[in-house]
Amino acid sequence: MAAAAEARGPGGCRERREEPRAGGGQAGAGRARRGRGGSAGPGSPPPCAGWRLGPPVRLDLEMQRQWMERLFPWQGILTFRVALLVCTARSLSAQATCPDIIVTQQLLKEGFHRELLTRVELGAGEEAIGSCTVAIKEHLPAGLYVDPYELASLQQHNLTEALMIADTIDVESPEYLATDLAILVYMKPDPQCDRCFKAMLPVHSRYHRPSKDDGEAIAVLKNPEILIYCHKSFPSLECWNYSEVEAPCSVRNGHTCHWSNVTYKPVNKEVILLVPVGLKQHGALVCAGTLLTTVLCSCLVLAAVCKHGPSSFVHCSE
């Protein structure tokens, strides 16, 4: 029998060699030739063709360097994109968990004297809202005004707490001579909602110029500013966009507090109030009727004075 020997080539491939023994002769040589060139049996290692042809071809160092230079820029771009996706995902997650502020405004009653009901809903827990005060800053157009004497009466009955920023208000001024008005209204918790605040503000329409067509004038009421002041930490302020402003702490307290003017997405862009006015083509008729009524009332007053007045006016009846 022939002794078997294994030789290991590059890549771990093996080659089985057999050496003929004494007396083996041509049979051993034949078996050796079959072992080197014949087909391998099951479980035998693969033939080492590359080993026989020569050592494998190696990459040149310069080619490796060029390949690495091409690879690293793509790695940097890929890293930047992954970081951008992570930051975007975190931002979207923060927006999804950040509570929304819902502000609704509604005009009650009809005519020249209306009531503006404002309701603010904060999407936060009841415990966090308990230490906060909410106020709204209303911007009334020139066509609307608030009666300061009426506000004082409502504050005495603890119905509405409002502070007018303007020093004086001319309630008799027409719309085309008046200016815009800013009012700070302190809201109260809504008993029907744990996260809601509401405030009622009486507003009145000013005299407008007569209209040409439909007999109505438009007064546009913009969305109010939302001011929040908290005595303790309020977690929702961390995800809301806000700016620091100074305003009185309350109507009865003259001290100034630092409020957070919160940015929100309004439900309605604006509230439109239709004010009934006269028509221009009726101007002559109105003037004639006014003049006739004035003359008639003056004559009646003069007649009553002459008839029932003091003795000094007795000669008027003679």
Side-chain angles (χ1 to χ4, degrees), residues 25-267:
Q26 297 178 355
R31 286 194 298 271
R33 285 192 298 270
R34 287 193 301 270
R36 288 189 296 266
S39 60
S44 60
C48 301
W51 184 30
R52 294 183 179 182
L53 293 177
V57 180
R58 297 182 178 179
L59 294 176
D60 188 73
L61 294 178
E62 184 65 23
M63 296 178 61
Q64 292 181 3
R65 186 180 63 82
Q66 295 178 358
W67 181 75
M68 294 299 291
E69 290 179 353
R70 295 178 181 177
L71 178 62
F72 281 121
W74 288 102
Q75 288 181 348
I77 295 174
L78 182 60
T79 304
F80 173 75
R81 291 183 176 180
V82 171
L84 182 61
L85 289 176
V86 171
C87 294
T88 304
R90 290 181 179 178
S91 177
L92 293 177
S93 176
Q95 293 179 1
T97 58
C98 184
D100 295 331
I101 300 177
I102 302 176
V103 179
T104 56
Q105 286 187 307
Q106 184 180 4
L107 283 171
L108 306 180
K109 297 183 179 180
E110 298 292 338
F112 289 90
H113 309 286
R114 312 289 291 271
E115 290 183 354
L116 178 62
L117 175 62
T118 305
R119 189 170 182 267
V120 177
E121 180 179 354
L122 304 178
E126 181 179 358
E127 298 179 356
I129 298 178
S131 62
C132 297
T133 303
V134 180
I136 55 174
K137 188 176 181 181
E138 294 282 1
H139 297 273
L140 299 182
L144 300 176
Y145 72 95
V146 174
D147 190 352
Y149 302 101
E150 184 181 9
L151 281 183
S153 176
L154 293 176
Q155 291 177 7
Q156 289 180 358
H157 294 83
N158 198 21
L159 297 177
T160 300
E161 294 185 0
L163 184 62
M164 291 180 293
I165 300 178
D167 296 333
T168 58
I169 298 178
D170 187 2
V171 297
E172 298 295 336
S173 177
E175 177 268 339
Y176 48 86
L177 296 179
T179 57
D180 296 346
L181 179 64
I183 301 177
L184 187 62
V185 184
Y186 297 89
M187 310 190 75
K188 296 182 179 181
D190 190 352
Q192 299 179 357
C193 178
D194 297 334
R195 304 177 305 230
C196 303
F197 296 82
K198 67 177 182 178
M200 184 77 71
L201 182 67
V203 295
H204 308 277
S205 302
R206 293 185 181 273
Y207 297 105
H208 288 68
R209 295 182 184 274
S211 175
K212 293 182 180 180
D213 302 324
D214 52 0
E216 291 180 340
I218 298 177
V220 180
L221 185 62
K222 299 181 180 179
N223 289 290
E225 300 180 23
I226 305 300
L227 306 180
I228 300 177
Y229 174 73
C230 298
H231 300 279
K232 299 180 181 179
S233 177
F234 190 51
S236 298
L237 285 177
E238 299 179 359
C239 60
W240 288 335
N241 296 325
Y242 67 93
S243 59
E244 295 288 341
V245 296
E246 293 185 355
C249 299
S250 64
V251 177
R252 299 175 179 85
N253 188 359
H255 297 286
T256 302
C257 296
H258 295 276
W259 296 73
S260 299
N261 191 343
V262 183
T263 303
Y264 65 95
K265 184 177 181 180
V267 177

